Structure formats: C-alpha cells, structure tokens
Amino acid sequence: MKYFLYNKAVDFKKGYMENCVWCGNGLTVENPGLSGGGSFITRVMDSREKETVWHRLGADCEALGNASIQLSLYVSESDRLLVDGKVVDLQAYLRNPEISMEEKRKRLAPFLVKTVLSPADLLLYDVKGRYLWAMVRMFSQG
C-alpha cells in the first residue's frame, strides 16, 4: 500500500504557500484582515506507476466563522510542463514565487480533476494519473 501523509511543518515546506503559514497544527491564513485568503500547493506526489487510480484522501479541515476551504486535485502522467514553448519541471514551476497563484491556476487548469469545499474524506476512484498534487485555498465569505 502506498500513501502520502501531510502532518508536519517539513511536509508543508516542500510545497508552496501564498499568504498562509504553518502554525504548528495546520495551515492558517497569514493576514486574514488584509487579504481575500491564502493558498497552498502540495509537492508533486509520484506513485511511480502510469495511470495510477488514486483511492482516497482524508483531510482534517476547520474553517472559522464565514471562512471556506477549497481543495482542488490535479493529476498528470508527466512531471514536466510546457510553459510558453519551453519544457519546465512541474515541481519547480509550482514552487516558483515569481509566478502568482492565479497564473498557476490558469496554467494547471487542464490537469484539474476534482474540486471540493471543506474536504473531509473523499473517494478518488475518478482521479487517474502517475503524478498528483493539490491546491488548498482558504478564503473568507464576508
């Protein structure tokens, strides 16, 4: 059985954060009063098998007040990405702080397979591909 677990600061530091921080027991928006929210992209997880059918995702999410948590899952058979005619490393692209989260979302749209609000326990039998990564968006509703 293969699995990936995110529950320590080092796990989150391998991803990319925009206006959010690891606070010891989870992610939180860094400046909630100054922004519309925060985002986190996980590192790219490699199943080491083509056309992997991913099975399950469990998440411990707690949104306070009128806040929402959105989880988007992405898959690909390649760890390379075509950007403006150049082939780039997917992980390096995701972690690049010079590229906005909005630009990353637009560029990665073809790889998006599932988006859910306030995820808890998801079956992923419709998520198929060797490489898997996720984007977590935390934002206020008002």
Side-chain angles (χ1 to χ4, degrees), residues 13-114:
K13 287 180 181 177
K14 291 179 181 177
Y16 173 74
M17 295 182 207
E18 188 171 277
N19 197 38
C20 65
V21 293
W22 171 260
C23 66
N25 60 350
L27 288 175
T28 188
V29 175
E30 192 167 27
N31 297 307
L34 302 177
S35 71
S39 298
F40 169 71
I41 300 178
T42 67
R43 68 179 171 84
V44 177
M45 294 165 273
D46 182 0
S47 69
R48 300 181 194 259
E49 294 178 18
K50 287 184 179 184
E51 299 182 2
T52 295
V53 176
W54 297 86
H55 297 283
R56 185 174 173 217
L57 181 139
D60 186 10
C61 299
E62 181 180 336
L64 304 175
N66 288 334
S68 292
I69 299 168
Q70 179 186 60
L71 174 75
S72 298
L73 295 171
Y74 300 82
V75 291
S76 176
E77 290 298 333
S78 174
D79 64 349
R80 302 283 181 233
L81 182 65
L82 186 63
V83 178
D84 300 327
K86 297 178 184 175
V87 177
V88 298
D89 178 75
L90 177 59
Q91 184 67 42
Y93 180 83
L94 295 176
R95 292 186 56 135
N96 187 338
E98 295 176 11
I99 303 168
S100 73
M101 195 64 78
E102 187 60 31
E103 176 62 27
K104 290 174 186 175
R105 284 184 53 235
K106 287 178 186 176
R107 178 81 56 191
L108 299 171
F111 306 102
L112 178 65
V113 292
K114 185 177 283 247

